[in-house]
Amino acid sequence: MRLDILKQYENQTKCLVALDSIIFGFDGEQLKLLLVKRGIEEEQHTWSLMGGWVQPTESLEDASNRILFELTSLKDIYLEQLHTFGSPQRDPVERTVSVAYFALINVEDYDHKISKNYEAQWFGMNDLPKLLFDHGAMVEMAIQHLRYKASQHPIGFELLPEKFTVPQLQKLYEAIFGTELDKRNFSRKLLSTNLLIKLDEKQKGYSKKGAYFYKIDEDKYKKQFNTFLNFLPNGNS
């Protein structure tokens, strides 16, 4: 019986499994994407997401962390699985299924740690170069998913320093949604979540009065991360 099963496996067409990681970063002004330069045959000047092959002894999570470390030297970054891309035409070289992950990081915290061996570089979302294969579609799906989650759940604080002002957080959400948000409405909705702890310290130079710094209430954040908060309805109010 076991020999029959093994024979059935042997007769199946083998398919490569790849992983691609979409790393979003925020530098205080704009949302950015981390890319590496790839020299694949005719694609000599094409940029790529962090990608590689899953090894026989690896889980998807282990492979995603290994690949990211090999290409950028970054580690201990939370990666969330986004989608599986399996079009037969997506890779012209070999039939390949790719599992895409995405992450949010603060550029200031990680930029000095990034290895330049593969020319890893940050690009603004409005200035992306030509991307390999279907990586553009992966990025588009990731940004739409990010916008949906940001409009409904309290995410994005991973992209900010430990202490931040409400205007800084508003800049982050404006970068994510690519639009200007009403200052009063945003501040009111943000503070109504009770996720922030107001500090006594103010940001100097922002205005005559200055803007108070806040920090995230970690306990409340963890409890409410997966709750439906209607944090930013429709992404523009």
Side-chain angles (χ1 to χ4, degrees), residues 121-133:
Q121 185 175 324
W122 291 104
F123 288 87
M125 294 303 295
N126 294 325
D127 300 298
L128 295 180
K130 178 184 178 182
L131 297 180
L132 187 72
F133 301 155

Side-chain angles (χ1 to χ4, degrees), residues 184-196:
R184 290 184 178 181
N185 283 341
F186 181 84
S187 179
R188 174 175 54 81
K189 289 176 182 177
L190 174 66
L191 297 178
S192 70
T193 65
N194 295 316
L195 292 173
L196 304 184

Side-chain angles (χ1 to χ4, degrees), residues 4-51:
D4 292 338
I5 295 176
L6 290 175
K7 195 170 184 179
Q8 291 178 18
Y9 274 74
E10 290 174 355
N11 291 333
Q12 299 302 312
T13 301
K14 303 300 187 292
C15 181
L16 294 172
V17 177
L19 284 176
D20 289 293
S21 296
I22 304 155
I23 312 298
F24 290 118
F26 183 64
D27 65 358
E29 293 293 333
Q30 60 177 323
L31 191 67
K32 293 188 172 183
L33 182 67
L34 186 61
L35 300 172
V36 291
K37 182 170 276 190
R38 303 296 281 267
I40 301 178
E41 297 179 357
E42 71 273 11
E43 306 289 352
Q44 291 294 319
H45 303 291
T46 299
W47 291 81
S48 166
L49 298 171
M50 268 53 64

Side-chain angles (χ1 to χ4, degrees), residues 23-156:
I23 312 298
F24 290 118
F26 183 64
D27 65 358
E29 293 293 333
Q30 60 177 323
L31 191 67
K32 293 188 172 183
L33 182 67
L34 186 61
L35 300 172
V36 291
K37 182 170 276 190
R38 303 296 281 267
I40 301 178
E41 297 179 357
E42 71 273 11
E43 306 289 352
Q44 291 294 319
H45 303 291
T46 299
W47 291 81
S48 166
L49 298 171
M50 268 53 64
W53 310 111
V54 180
Q55 300 303 311
T57 58
E58 288 181 314
S59 68
L60 293 177
E61 289 73 19
D62 289 342
S64 64
N65 287 316
R66 174 186 56 80
I67 292 166
L68 182 64
F69 180 76
E70 288 178 352
L71 295 180
T72 67
S73 82
L74 295 177
K75 60 181 179 178
D76 298 325
I77 292 176
Y78 172 75
L79 291 166
E80 180 178 332
Q81 192 173 133
L82 173 68
H83 188 70
T84 300
F85 292 80
S87 170
Q89 292 79 37
R90 64 168 305 276
D91 186 334
V93 179
E94 184 75 32
R95 175 75 168 99
T96 306
V97 170
S98 178
V99 182
Y101 283 75
F102 81 102
L104 309 176
I105 65 175
N106 186 333
V107 172
E108 184 176 332
D109 290 343
Y110 290 94
D111 198 38
H112 65 286
K113 300 178 182 179
I114 295 175
S115 168
K116 305 303 180 183
N117 290 340
Y118 290 86
E119 299 187 51
Q121 185 175 324
W122 291 104
F123 288 87
M125 294 303 295
N126 294 325
D127 300 298
L128 295 180
K130 178 184 178 182
L131 297 180
L132 187 72
F133 301 155
D134 57 352
H135 289 191
M138 294 181 182
V139 172
E140 180 60 28
M141 179 177 288
I143 191 66
Q144 292 303 325
H145 183 67
L146 176 60
R147 286 171 179 170
Y148 169 75
K149 293 194 70 171
S151 69
Q152 307 296 346
H153 306 286
I155 71 167

